[in-house]
DNA sequence: TCTGGGGTCCTAGGACCC
DNA sequence: TCTGGGGTCCTAGGACCC
């Protein structure tokens, strides 16, 4: 059996737990600070009951509820809480998987009373963090994840042989992970409406999802496969200097994170979008690895040159790196070592005095 | 009037190697 | 001159998730 933990309205719940004034109130967490020009990253259950949901433009949310409480997302806080929950779950001594910032899975093979363990998990999370989780238990991760959604918030749902058919019959197909978008629509168009319909036609989709678990949950979770930052500009931008400045800034943010995690990348990916060019992505892979922000930036400029756009109108852009490996400074050339010590000083200053204390001159065009 | 940001995985074609 | 087969790497894009 697999136990899936899904935190309830995670970001919003954390904010309410920290600030008692927000408790019991409709609240949204916005992905950035400008109240009216962002989307809902998380909505408290009080807000959800009014029809507000994540992904919705914040303006629409305020139209529904003018007195909505608003908090800007603080990723560091949520990541920290997530890691603490992961640590707590390690205490149950079962193979563990970190599925996302607010989802965790436990392999309960050999455990007798899965349901009482599920209760204990919920209890401990609430006792330690003052936020609730919903737990699903089933024979594989796909069904366990589905189960966790069925009685939110603060739910505990078991799918076993007895209620398998009944549960799948009343659950719409698009509730199933992977069926939320076009994939689900394809099946819906063929007349498959519920998970049970899918099971009858494609049992392997439901059955063959063992999930991946760490043998030893004492070890830290896996390292990331890519690191990216993107930004949607307040308006269309055509000034090449300003566009370059944004690419420089995003490269810097990506580089900082690589260095914090002691990683280097081989592949750099630049993403541009605008009404005329649509969304364009291109990448460059090289034999040499790097975590130097300027290096990442130069690669981006080369990628952009290859796209051969003449005065593109840019609305959004992003820098992403992949093919990540552990950094090994002994492999650096002398010239690179010099730059590394400069970068280290740079990171140290920003680490002590705050991000943006010292920055590349060109990025001042982004202010 | 365009509505964020950070990720993962998959596929298919082309280049290149043996 | 024409002929096979296997494999990796890279690129570009799509789909989905939170």
């Amino acid at each position: 059996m697999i136990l899936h933990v899904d935190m309830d309205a995670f970001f919003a719940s954390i904010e309410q737990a920290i600030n008692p004034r927000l408790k019991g109130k409709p609240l949204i967490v916005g992905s950035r600070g400008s109240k009216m020009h962002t989307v809902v990253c998380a909505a408290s259950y009080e807000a959800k009951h009014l029809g507000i949901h994540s992904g919705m433009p914040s303006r629409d949310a305020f139209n529904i509820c003018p007195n909505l409480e608003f908090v800007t997302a603080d990723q560091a806080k949520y990541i920290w809480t997530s890691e603490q929950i992961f640590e707590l779950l390690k205490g149950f001594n079962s193979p563990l998987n970190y599925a996302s910032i607010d989802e965790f899975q436990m392999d309960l093979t050999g455990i007798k009373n899965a349901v009482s363990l599920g209760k204990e998990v919920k209890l401990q999370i609430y006792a330690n963090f003052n936020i609730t989780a919903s737990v699903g238990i089933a024979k594989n991760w796909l069904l366990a994840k589905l189960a966790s959604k069925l009685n939110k918030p603060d739910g505990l749902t078991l799918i076993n042989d007895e209620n398998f058919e009944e549960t799948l019959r009343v659950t719409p197909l698009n509730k199933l992970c992977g069926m939320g978008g076009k994939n689900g629509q394809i099946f819906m168009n063929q007349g498959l409406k519920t998970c049970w319909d899918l099971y009858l036609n494609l049992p392997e989709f439901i059955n063959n999802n063992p999930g991946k678990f760490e043998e030893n949950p004492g070890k830290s979770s896996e390292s990331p496969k890519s690191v990216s930052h993107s930004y949607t500009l307040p308006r269309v931008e055509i000034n090449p200097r300003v566009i370059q400045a944004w690419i420089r800034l995003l490269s810097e943010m990506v580089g900082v994170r690589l260095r914090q995690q002691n990683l280097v990348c081989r592949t750099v990916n630049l993403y541009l979008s605008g009404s005329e060019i649509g969304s364009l992505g291109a990448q460059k892979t090289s034999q040499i690895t790097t975590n130097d922000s300027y290096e990442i930036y130069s690669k981006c400029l080369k990628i952009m040159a290859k796209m051969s756009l003449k005065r593109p109108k840019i609305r959004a852009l992003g820098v992403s790196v992949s093919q990540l490996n552990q950094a090994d400074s002994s492999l650096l050339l002398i010239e690179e070592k010099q730059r590394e010590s400069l970068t280290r000083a740079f990171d140290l200053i920003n680490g002590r005095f705050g991000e943006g204390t010292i920055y590349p001159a060109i990025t001042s065009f982004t202010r």
Side-chain angles (χ1 to χ4, degrees), chain A residues 67-85:
Chain A
N67 302 324
L68 205 54
E69 299 286 344
F70 181 90
V71 177
T72 305
D74 178 355
Q75 289 293 332
K77 197 154 64 187
Y78 313 142
I79 290 169
W80 184 87
T81 309
S82 180
E83 286 170 353
Q84 297 300 307
I85 294 170

Side-chain angles (χ1 to χ4, degrees), chain A residues 106-313:
Chain A
M106 232 184 253
D107 184 347
L108 299 189
T109 304
I111 302 237
K112 282 186 189 134
N113 199 338
V115 171
S116 63
L117 190 129
K119 283 181 186 164
E120 189 57 30
V121 165
K122 282 161 57 71
L123 218 60
Q124 287 202 22
I125 289 175
Y126 190 75
N128 282 278
F129 304 100
N130 200 21
I131 53 182
T132 63
S134 292
V135 166
I137 301 167
K139 63 181 177 183
N140 64 35
W141 80 264
L142 183 71
L143 289 171
K145 179 170 172 144
L146 179 69
S148 72
K149 282 192 200 176
L150 296 180
N151 290 299
K152 269 185 157 296
D154 205 13
L156 175 63
T157 309
L158 170 73
I159 299 180
N160 59 14
D161 290 345
E162 282 80 67
N163 66 8
F164 178 75
E165 176 173 347
E166 178 197 345
T167 306
L168 266 60
R169 273 187 190 280
V170 299
T171 308
L173 177 62
N174 57 12
K175 288 259 183 189
L176 207 58
C177 183
M179 291 290 166
K182 296 191 180 179
N183 287 340
Q185 199 53 51
I186 290 170
F187 288 111
M188 300 281 241
N189 292 343
Q190 291 172 8
L192 309 189
K193 292 192 171 60
T194 66
C195 293
W196 182 248
D197 294 336
L198 182 70
Y199 177 71
L200 292 180
N201 286 275
L202 204 64
E204 58 271 27
F205 187 88
I206 305 267
N207 286 333
N208 299 347
N209 285 286
K212 47 176 181 180
F213 294 91
E214 290 175 33
E215 283 308 310
N216 177 3
K219 286 189 180 148
S220 62
S221 51
E222 324 172 29
S223 65
K225 299 204 165 57
S226 67
V227 172
S228 69
H229 280 283
S230 58
Y231 186 72
T232 302
L233 300 163
R235 69 190 76 84
V236 174
E237 185 60 61
I238 55 164
N239 184 341
R241 292 285 285 169
V242 177
I243 293 167
Q244 280 177 19
W246 277 108
I247 295 173
R248 182 70 177 91
L249 183 65
L250 293 167
S251 301
E252 191 57 51
M253 292 163 74
V254 167
V256 166
R257 276 180 55 208
L258 283 180
R259 299 193 292 272
Q260 279 171 353
Q261 300 182 68
N262 201 35
L263 294 170
V264 288
C265 69
R266 280 189 60 211
T267 301
V268 174
N269 189 309
L270 177 69
Y271 160 83
L272 299 173
S273 90
S275 52
E276 286 172 13
I277 60 171
S279 70
L280 282 178
Q283 62 195 47
K284 189 153 178 57
T285 300
S286 91
Q287 256 60 37
I288 301 152
T289 63
T290 190
N291 58 18
D292 183 287
S293 304
Y294 187 78
E295 195 60 37
I296 295 168
Y297 168 64
S298 330
K299 292 252 166 62
C300 287
L301 290 189
K302 283 179 187 157
I303 293 166
M304 191 151 86
K306 254 194 164 175
M307 290 173 166
S308 54
L309 307 163
K310 23 189 168 175
R311 288 191 78 79
K313 299 179 178 172

